[in-house]
Amino acid sequence: MKETLRQYLVAGLVSIATAGGLILYLTARRGYFDLSIVNKSLASTSLILLGIVLLLGPLSRIYNRFDKWINYRKELGILAFLTGAVHVYLSMFPLARRGPFGLYQSRPLVAYTGLLGLVIMTYLFIISFEKIKQKIGMAKWWKMQYWGARITGVAIFTHMAVFKYPEWNTWLGGEAGKLARPGWPPASLLTAIFISFVFLTRFSELLGAKTAKFLTPVWLAAAVIISVLLFKL
Ligand code: HEM
């Protein structure tokens, strides 16, 4: 019980630090604070937490020092679900300009990939309770978690990339609009770079443990260098 509490505490602190950091970044970039900034920060926090969950598997297999972190996957996954659920609520109700289903009608791919992510995360959350887990059986439960987390990662990455691509393109083209810090890249672009690093690390594992051990630091260095260069554009 004590250990479970500690794991939730650590996962909670990681989530608060991520969301808090994003709120500060977006507020400084735009020069004002509003509910939309909270919404964007929770949305990216959810995706980043999911990215960490997907990263811990290969990291623990490639490097021993990440073995302990594998225990935090469940708690981080639950917090990814909760932050994602608040984002969906804010997007569909307080912030929706054309009603709760406006986005589903105007941008079906964007809306339904996001919804798919939320539905799978809700399911994974429900089956995370010990009693349900035992009813399903360990082998089947692991398979559901395994595929569920992967499909959610791809669905939400698609949701964000399709939605945000025009904004990234405009910013990369030198048009920043009325931003207090126009030189700072969109937070969603930095999140996309992190998720690309996660996907590349996972794909590298398919090439064997030795290749993955060599490629993971290469992908990490590339992600850091690209992110830093974006600030210098
Ligand atoms: C758990 C599932 C979901 C996750 C993790 C998620 C994640 C994201 C991310 C990372 C962004 C980019 C944030 C940014 O602009 O910096 C975003 C934007 C957005 N998402 Fe989702 N999303 C999910 C489901 C949904 C659903 C079902 C809807 C509603 C139909 C939705 C509506 C929006 C809207 C309106 C934006 C743009 C917000 C803005 O630019 O201010 N999302 N989402």
Side-chain angles (χ1 to χ4, degrees):
M1 189 63 198
K2 235 181 172 180
E3 182 55 23
T4 311
L5 213 68
R6 206 180 65 83
Q7 286 175 0
Y8 273 109
L9 200 71
V10 173
L13 288 175
V14 171
S15 312
I16 290 170
T18 310
L22 283 162
I23 288 175
L24 290 177
Y25 180 89
L26 287 167
T27 305
R29 182 175 186 261
R30 298 192 157 208
Y32 60 82
F33 172 81
D34 64 6
L35 190 60
S36 145
I37 285 182
V38 176
N39 188 32
K40 283 171 187 282
S41 303
L42 291 174
S44 289
T45 299
S46 174
L47 184 54
I48 290 169
L49 294 177
L50 188 66
I52 298 175
V53 169
L54 290 170
L55 192 60
L56 285 176
L59 284 190
S60 70
R61 286 188 287 272
I62 303 171
Y63 308 102
N64 294 336
R65 82 183 82 131
F66 287 100
D67 277 0
K68 271 186 282 167
W69 284 92
I70 205 84
N71 298 329
Y72 292 88
R73 276 191 305 189
K74 178 179 163 184
E75 292 75 11
L76 289 168
I78 289 174
L79 282 156
F81 161 65
L82 294 176
T83 46
V86 178
H87 158 62
V88 176
Y89 165 72
L90 291 176
S91 299
M92 286 182 66
F93 299 99
L95 290 170
R97 268 180 253 138
R98 282 164 290 122
F101 303 106
L103 193 69
Y104 294 87
Q105 280 154 1
S106 63
R107 309 285 305 272
L109 177 64
V110 167
Y112 285 106
T113 45
L115 185 67
L116 176 67
L118 183 72
V119 168
I120 299 176
M121 281 209 266
T122 309
Y123 183 72
L124 296 182
F125 171 66
I126 293 168
I127 66 166
S128 74
F129 291 96
E130 206 53 46
K131 271 192 183 152
I132 301 181
K133 187 173 166 179
Q134 273 159 17
K135 257 197 185 149
I136 294 174
M138 263 322 234
K140 205 170 162 194
W141 186 86
W142 270 113
K143 211 170 176 182
M144 285 171 166
Q145 294 286 344
Y146 180 96
W147 284 109
R150 276 155 193 75
I151 297 169
T152 305
V154 174
I156 293 174
F157 183 76
T158 308
H159 164 72
M160 178 186 70
V162 174
F163 210 166
K164 292 285 141 179
Y165 181 75
E167 186 187 322
W168 298 343
N169 222 4
T170 313
W171 183 82
L172 288 166
E175 274 176 64
K178 282 189 236 133
L179 294 174
R181 286 180 172 79
W184 289 14
S188 56
L189 184 53
L190 298 173
T191 305
I193 293 171
F194 170 67
I195 299 300
S196 305
F197 158 67
V198 174
F199 285 163
L200 285 170
T201 302
R202 291 216 69 106
F203 284 129
S204 304
E205 251 203 324
L206 301 174
L207 304 171
K210 244 187 177 173
T211 316
K213 202 167 185 170
F214 167 74
L215 283 177
T216 301
V218 175
W219 302 137
L220 179 63
V224 172
I225 291 168
I226 293 170
S227 303
V228 171
L229 285 178
L230 286 178
F231 283 88
K232 311 231 175 265
L233 281 180

